[in-house]
Amino acid sequence: MSRKPVEFSVPSAHHNLLLILLVLLFHHPVSIGYVWDDTLLIELNPWKDSLSNIGFVWTNSLWSGIPGEHVNHWYRPLMGTHILIDQWLFGDALRPKQWMNVVWFTGVVILLYRWLHSILDLTKEQSLWIVGLLIAHPYSVELTQFIAARNDTMTLAFALGIPILTQRPPHILNHVWVALLLFCTMCSKESGLMWVCLLTLPIYTKL
């Protein structure tokens, strides 16, 4: 069975609606201080203040040098790099960093909408309902309010892009992009490979 190529068109009104619901109704930043893991990973982070620590970030655990449990167990260098860039751009300001979480979550819901419609062959209305429920679910607020949870949305955004790209006609640039997305997925969180397998599985069940 031949694969149906996915057209990358300008976002539809459905996408715009999702963005409006996401930003205005449920996910605008509300915290006035660092909470939970953010206190350790961001506020008390000893290496976040200098971009020269980029080498340290890519050769150590995300929690290296930070008080906490299992400090040597989590290799997430892309998340660490994002923390460095956040600090360079925004300093100690909390709100812009939370808005960065909203941007990543927005990317995830748009890509999820595309994945549901193009990979699972759901209608646009069905895809919109599913993504809308995800946006409104209280659990998803953690993904935008906790900066430390950004590695989850980063992982999902990169992983969702892989099956969408593999539906396009074979081309060397598409292969390069898939490889790059896989690398970014694995460097965002350890569970990235699992998400790639789960999200690409529906493609091969159609063959």
Side-chain angles (χ1 to χ4, degrees):
M1 180 182 296
S2 60
R3 296 179 181 177
K4 179 183 67 175
V6 176
E7 297 182 0
F8 286 78
S9 57
V10 176
S12 66
H14 288 156
H15 294 142
N16 294 330
L17 177 60
L18 289 176
L19 287 173
I20 294 172
L21 290 173
L22 171 66
V23 177
L24 298 180
L25 298 179
F26 294 101
H27 293 273
H28 56 281
V30 295
S31 300
I32 59 175
Y34 290 109
V35 294
W36 298 100
D37 288 349
D38 289 353
T39 302
L40 299 175
L41 186 61
I42 310 298
E43 188 174 21
L44 302 180
N45 189 320
W47 46 259
K48 72 177 187 300
D49 293 312
S50 175
L51 290 177
S52 63
N53 290 325
I54 186 69
F56 176 86
V57 167
W58 281 85
T59 55
N60 288 276
S61 164
L62 177 65
W63 289 84
S64 292
I66 301 172
E69 299 179 355
H70 310 298
V71 295
N72 296 318
H73 290 188
W74 315 117
Y75 184 68
R76 302 169 183 177
L78 209 56
M79 175 63 180
T81 301
H82 211 321
I83 292 173
L84 288 176
I85 295 174
D86 278 358
Q87 190 68 19
W88 178 63
L89 289 174
F90 310 123
D92 292 327
L94 172 62
R95 199 54 58 86
K97 297 175 183 179
Q98 291 176 322
W99 276 112
M100 288 301 299
N101 276 30
V102 175
V103 171
W104 277 103
F105 187 73
T106 301
V108 167
V109 296
I110 291 176
L111 287 170
L112 178 60
Y113 173 84
R114 288 176 178 264
W115 182 82
L116 292 168
H117 181 52
S118 63
I119 305 299
L120 294 191
D121 296 325
L122 299 184
T123 66
K124 290 184 177 181
E125 290 73 20
Q126 290 171 328
S127 303
L128 183 62
W129 272 105
I130 292 173
V131 175
L133 289 173
L134 172 65
I135 294 172
H137 196 285
Y139 170 77
S140 64
V141 175
E142 178 180 339
L143 297 175
T144 54
Q145 301 303 311
F146 296 164
I147 300 170
R150 186 187 299 163
N151 51 206
D152 293 306
T153 48
M154 291 172 64
T155 303
L156 287 172
F158 294 131
L160 281 164
I162 292 174
I164 294 175
L165 277 178
T166 57
Q167 291 293 88
R168 304 188 73 184
H171 190 278
I172 184 62
L173 287 180
N174 291 335
H175 299 329
V176 171
W177 275 111
V178 167
L180 180 61
L181 287 175
L182 180 60
F183 175 78
C184 291
T185 302
M186 297 297 294
C187 289
S188 296
K189 194 171 183 178
E190 301 80 8
S191 60
L193 184 59
M194 176 195 72
W195 282 111
V196 171
C197 293
L198 290 175
L199 293 170
T200 55
L201 183 61
I203 296 176
Y204 296 99
T205 59
K206 298 178 183 179
L207 297 179

